[in-house]
Amino acid sequence: MAGSEERAFNQPASDAVDASFGVKGVMIKHLSRTDRADAYMPTDGDLISACYVSYDDEGKVMSTNDNEVANEVRKNDPDRAAHPYFFVSEGLPIDFVVGSGGVVRAWELACKSMKEGEKVRIWSSASFRNRDGTLTEDEKKMDADKGYVVFDVEILSVIPLSLIDAQQRKKEVEELKKKGNEFFQSEQYRQATAYYRRAALCGIPRKIEETGSGVELPEDEAALHKEVMFCHLNAAAALEKQLKHTEAIEHCDSVMNNQDLNDVNVNAKALYRKAVALHQLKRMDEAEKVVEEAASLLPDDRAISSLAQRIAKQRHQTKIEGKNVYKRMVSSKGALYSDKPERPPPLLSQIWTIIKSLCCGAKKKKDE
């Protein structure tokens, strides 16, 4: 994986080129190029599906979503595969919208110098490794002492969202959601989640991108926006099946944080799924509050009513258990400071009787 050049792996190759527009924080070298005349070079606003490998300073794999690379490491370097920092992200593509800040900044910059189907090696300074560009003091020291962080990134596909209108976007969303539903029905929830997430990214309405939430959307973009919300709800359901409750909550919040969609059913479903996740995480106070809000929107919904009853019952039971624990603590503390000896357990009653008899006999003998 490391090159044959006599240099540290985490230092850019001599033929690497700047991809950070003069800042010199991101250097890239093409590992493969495409001959396709129609190969598209992405720009801000486009949706990319990518495969990646990250390396340590010595050129050993740290993490990847490439199953072939992961299997090679497991076969040739089992100790490395067992290392706690070795991470395989489920062998599914990483999806992100260029310019959205959804991934490592160096990746976004490098992808603007690539075409669909191409692969590059990226040397990134620490300031381009994070999404927001902020650095802790430790990261600044690491940047100065250890040089660059190294990645390989391959663009698997590009959906040019910057070039298509809301109707075309909606078709993309519907097709991706359909594939997600097929995986969900066959209980392949991990793959279903990936398609739902990709569909949600594909369907970000341009009006919201440009002016933020709260604007009145044209009819075609409103329809697109509603499809996006259903994708978030489906993703939450698939994540619940995988017991990834915190991630499910994030998708529910994505629905609730968008005020452009005044749909009672959609909002109630988002609240219901969030309450389910909070309930599983034992965050009972929050779960009760959220399910009450869902019930206020759909008071006759059986699933919401059933969940509310389960949460109320469990909270009541928890309160009783808490009171019993408190009573036992107070009782134990009272016995500790009491002049009366604590009554021994029943199994020790005979031993207690013998000891008491011996003590009384000794006292009586002493008095005589």
Side-chain angles (χ1 to χ4, degrees):
M1 294 173 187
S4 59
E5 303 170 56
E6 294 182 1
R7 60 177 176 81
F9 182 80
N10 64 349
Q11 294 299 320
S14 58
D15 55 348
V17 297
D18 174 43
S20 56
F21 304 97
V23 182
K24 300 294 183 183
V26 180
M27 306 294 289
I28 66 170
K29 175 182 178 180
H30 274 79
L31 301 179
S32 66
R33 291 186 180 272
T34 181
D35 295 329
R36 285 174 43 202
D38 62 341
Y40 180 76
M41 181 176 288
T43 186
D44 286 344
D46 292 334
L47 176 62
I48 288 178
S49 292
C51 192
Y52 84 97
V53 183
S54 70
Y55 299 94
D56 66 11
D57 296 337
E58 298 177 353
K60 293 184 177 180
V61 176
M62 289 286 290
S63 65
T64 183
N65 65 341
D66 187 325
N67 282 334
E68 290 185 9
V69 173
N71 290 334
E72 183 181 346
V73 173
R74 294 187 183 104
K75 179 181 178 181
N76 299 327
D77 193 353
D79 291 338
R80 184 64 179 179
H83 195 282
Y85 290 118
F86 178 71
F87 174 71
V88 179
S89 56
E90 303 176 333
L92 294 172
I94 285 185
D95 301 311
F96 61 94
V97 175
V98 181
S100 67
V103 292
V104 177
R105 289 181 68 205
W107 293 12
E108 292 190 343
L109 291 170
C111 285
K112 293 181 182 180
S113 300
M114 302 168 61
K115 292 181 178 180
E116 184 178 3
E118 294 186 339
K119 183 176 182 179
V120 300
R121 177 155 294 170
I122 304 171
W123 290 267
S124 169
S125 65
S127 57
F128 286 90
R129 185 191 62 197
N130 297 341
R131 297 182 183 187
D132 57 5
T134 59
L135 290 178
T136 64
E137 291 302 319
D138 289 341
E139 287 174 329
K140 290 178 181 178
K141 187 175 186 302
M142 183 196 72
D143 199 17
D145 294 347
K146 294 189 176 182
Y148 291 81
V149 182
V150 185
F151 305 96
D152 288 347
V153 173
E154 180 182 3
I155 296 180
L156 302 176
S157 65
V158 181
I159 299 178
L161 300 181
S162 59
L163 302 180
I164 62 179
D165 60 20
Q167 288 184 345
Q168 290 175 298
R169 284 189 178 205
K170 187 171 181 291
K171 289 180 181 179
E172 293 283 357
V173 170
E174 290 172 340
E175 184 62 31
L176 291 169
K177 189 177 77 169
K178 181 181 177 182
K179 291 180 181 178
N181 290 342
E182 291 171 357
F183 279 116
F184 192 97
Q185 290 166 4
S186 61
E187 299 184 355
Q188 299 181 65
Y189 301 118
R190 187 166 52 88
Q191 290 87 341
T193 302
Y195 275 99
Y196 291 142
R197 283 175 166 167
R198 192 178 305 168
L201 286 172
C202 183
I204 301 173
R206 203 168 303 176
K207 289 290 183 182
I208 291 180
E209 291 173 351
E210 294 170 356
T211 60
S213 183
V215 299
E216 184 177 350
L217 298 175
E219 185 177 348
D220 56 349
E221 292 197 1
L224 168 62
H225 191 44
K226 189 170 184 177
E227 283 296 318
V228 169
M229 297 303 104
F230 281 125
C231 291
H232 282 299
L233 291 175
N234 290 359
L239 288 164
E240 280 295 319
K241 292 290 187 179
Q242 301 168 73
L243 305 181
K244 296 182 177 180
H245 309 301
T246 301
E247 293 179 47
I249 290 172
E250 292 175 359
H251 282 278
C252 294
D253 287 340
S254 294
V255 177
M256 298 308 303
N257 291 337
N258 282 276
Q259 301 302 316
D260 307 279
L261 185 66
N262 295 316
D263 189 304
V264 172
N265 289 316
V266 172
N267 290 337
K269 285 181 180 179
L271 289 166
Y272 168 75
R273 294 203 193 286
K274 182 175 181 177
V276 169
L278 290 169
H279 181 228
Q280 293 298 322
L281 292 171
K282 309 297 183 185
R283 291 159 59 179
M284 305 306 294
D285 289 344
E286 296 174 78
E288 186 175 47
K289 182 179 179 181
V290 172
V291 79
E292 286 176 356
E293 191 175 350
S296 69
L297 296 177
L298 292 179
D300 298 326
D301 187 279
R302 291 185 180 180
I304 294 174
S305 298
S306 175
L307 177 62
Q309 291 173 5
R310 292 200 307 273
I311 292 173
K313 182 178 179 180
Q314 189 166 343
R315 277 178 57 79
H316 179 68
Q317 192 172 8
T318 302
K319 286 180 180 179
I320 293 175
E321 291 174 357
K323 288 180 179 179
N324 290 337
V325 169
Y326 178 74
K327 287 179 180 178
R328 288 196 295 270
M329 291 174 62
V330 171
S331 176
S332 175
K333 185 176 180 181
L336 182 65
Y337 293 103
S338 174
D339 293 333
K340 297 180 180 179
E342 185 177 356
R343 187 177 182 84
L347 293 177
L348 299 177
S349 59
Q350 292 182 358
I351 298 174
W352 174 254
T353 302
I354 294 171
I355 293 172
K356 188 176 180 181
S357 176
L358 290 173
C359 290
C360 292
K363 183 177 181 182
K364 185 176 181 183
K365 187 176 181 181
K366 182 178 179 181
D367 292 342
E368 291 175 354

